[in-house]
């Protein structure tokens, strides 16, 4: 990242990033202007939360049909289904993220710890804190080299300082960096992808870009697929201007696809079909 006083804002000057930011802003404004949003926005928000959780779980290896997620009530995995706890974790995180918006700007590390605690849903010693030296990481779908615990601690502190200091960077840029950094670091022993995408959601909502949380980027990430996700994440991890710009553009496309999903929900509500 840049060594300027506002490194996040510097990323907004990378080639192509301004176009991604403008395209996302236009798409978000369009869905917020839909007539259904004037009277049934809570329904759109609820549906976006469900679809976002399904998308995030799909990227973490639990690619369930939306109606199965809607139908199920037991996500404990007690029936031997190893994917059920992943879907359950994604649903809990989606519900929890909205409760943490006011804390994020003051204490992002506290929020990340809470998100992992909610995702893991147990009382193990490694839950709700960054991993320590020698502790394993269960994140099979991300194949980047794993930073050691000291690097994780240092980069988490750096990320937290950027968030607390604030930035003039567009919300898309900040959200993409938070998401990419957490996926690259994998600071927890499990559920890092789910936590990273929940943190991205917190930034997009808390920044005011998507205050009603109706533009689920997780849907777009899932639709773009794991291969594109991994390739874009490789670009972020490279730290090159081209790689960073490609990752931000990827996240922008994911938001736009989330907007498309919620626009379809609005149209269905308008027709009385949902």
């Amino acid at each position: 990242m840049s060594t300027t006083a506002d490194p996040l804002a510097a990323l907004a000057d990378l080639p192509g990033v301004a176009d991604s930011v403008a395209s996302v802003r236009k798409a978000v404004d369009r869905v917020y202007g839909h007539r259904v949003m004037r009277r049934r926005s809570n329904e759109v928000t609820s549906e976006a939360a469900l679809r976002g959780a399904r998308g995030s779980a799909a990227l973490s290896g639990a690619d369930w049909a939306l109606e199965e997620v809607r139908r199920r009530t037991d996500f404990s995995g007690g029936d031997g289904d190893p994917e059920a706890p992943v879907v359950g974790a994604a649903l809990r995180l989606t519900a929890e993220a909205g409760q943490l918006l006011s804390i994020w700007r003051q204490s992002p590390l506290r929020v990340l710890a809470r998100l992992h605690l909610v995702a893991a849903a147990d009382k193990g010693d490694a839950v709700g804190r960054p991993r320590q030296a020698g502790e394993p990481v269960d994140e099979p779908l991300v194949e980047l080299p794993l930073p050691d615990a000291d690097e994780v601690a240092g980069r988490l502190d750096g990320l937290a300082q950027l968030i607390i200091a604030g930035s003039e960077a567009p919300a898309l840029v900040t959200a993409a960096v938070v998401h990419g950094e957490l996926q690259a670091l994998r600071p927890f022993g499990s559920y890092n992808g789910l936590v990273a995408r929940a943190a991205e959601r917190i930034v997009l909502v808390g920044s005011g870009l998507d205050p009603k949380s109706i533009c689920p980027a997780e849907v777009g990430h899932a639709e773009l697929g794991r291969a594109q996700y991994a390739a874009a994440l490789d670009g972020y991890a490279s730290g090159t201007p081209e790689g960073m710009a490609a990752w931000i553009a990827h996240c922008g496309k994911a938001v736009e696809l989330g907007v498309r999903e919620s626009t379809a929900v609005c149209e269905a509500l308008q027709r009385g079909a949902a």
Side-chain angles (χ1 to χ4, degrees):
M1 290 185 189
S2 167
T3 57
T4 63
D6 191 348
L8 292 176
L11 292 176
D13 295 329
L14 293 174
V17 170
D19 290 341
S20 293
V21 169
S23 183
V24 166
R25 179 77 266 178
K26 182 178 179 180
V28 172
D29 287 347
R30 189 164 54 246
V31 71
Y32 269 84
H34 197 287
R35 62 168 52 186
V36 165
M37 287 297 296
R38 292 197 293 270
R39 25 183 228 284
R40 303 180 72 177
S41 63
N42 287 343
E43 294 172 71
V44 182
T45 296
S46 295
E47 190 64 20
L50 182 70
R51 296 180 185 219
R54 193 218 73 82
S56 192
L59 274 177
S60 288
D63 192 0
W64 286 17
L66 179 63
E67 291 312 312
E68 177 66 7
V69 178
R70 201 189 302 277
R71 180 189 68 80
R72 285 281 286 267
T73 56
D74 181 7
F75 298 95
S76 66
D79 59 358
D81 185 348
E83 295 182 358
V86 178
V87 178
L91 289 167
R92 290 191 300 273
L93 283 174
T94 299
E96 185 73 13
Q99 310 302 314
L100 300 172
L101 294 171
S102 63
I103 306 172
W104 173 255
R105 285 292 299 273
Q106 287 74 42
S107 186
L109 296 184
R110 178 182 164 195
V111 168
L112 293 175
R114 175 62 184 170
L115 289 173
H116 187 246
L117 185 66
V118 168
D122 63 41
K123 296 181 172 61
D125 291 341
V127 171
R129 62 158 175 79
R131 55 187 168 83
Q132 298 174 358
E135 290 182 341
V137 175
D138 180 14
E139 202 75 31
L141 300 176
V142 177
E143 298 179 355
L144 294 170
L146 188 67
D148 64 28
D150 288 341
E151 182 179 353
V152 168
R155 287 173 62 176
L156 279 180
D157 283 343
L159 181 64
Q161 289 169 19
L162 286 177
I163 299 302
I164 293 168
S167 172
E168 295 181 1
L172 173 64
V173 172
T174 303
V177 168
V178 168
H179 182 171
E181 191 72 354
L182 293 174
Q183 271 290 40
L185 291 178
R186 284 146 292 165
F188 302 108
S190 59
Y191 296 117
N192 289 288
L194 297 181
V195 169
R197 291 184 287 276
E200 179 186 44
R201 163 79 5 229
I202 287 172
V203 174
L204 292 171
V205 174
S207 67
L209 176 66
D210 179 23
K212 294 183 183 295
S213 194
I214 62 166
C215 306
E218 305 93 331
V219 168
H221 286 303
E223 186 171 336
L224 290 167
R226 294 181 202 164
Q228 284 195 41
Y229 186 80
L233 187 62
D234 284 347
Y236 175 86
S238 75
T240 64
E242 296 81 9
M244 296 292 286
W247 170 250
I248 294 168
H250 179 87
C251 290
K253 182 63 174 176
V255 174
E256 292 188 60
L257 290 170
V259 167
R260 188 177 72 179
E261 186 86 355
S262 286
T263 300
V265 170
C266 287
E267 294 294 329
L269 288 169
Q270 186 167 288
R271 294 191 305 269

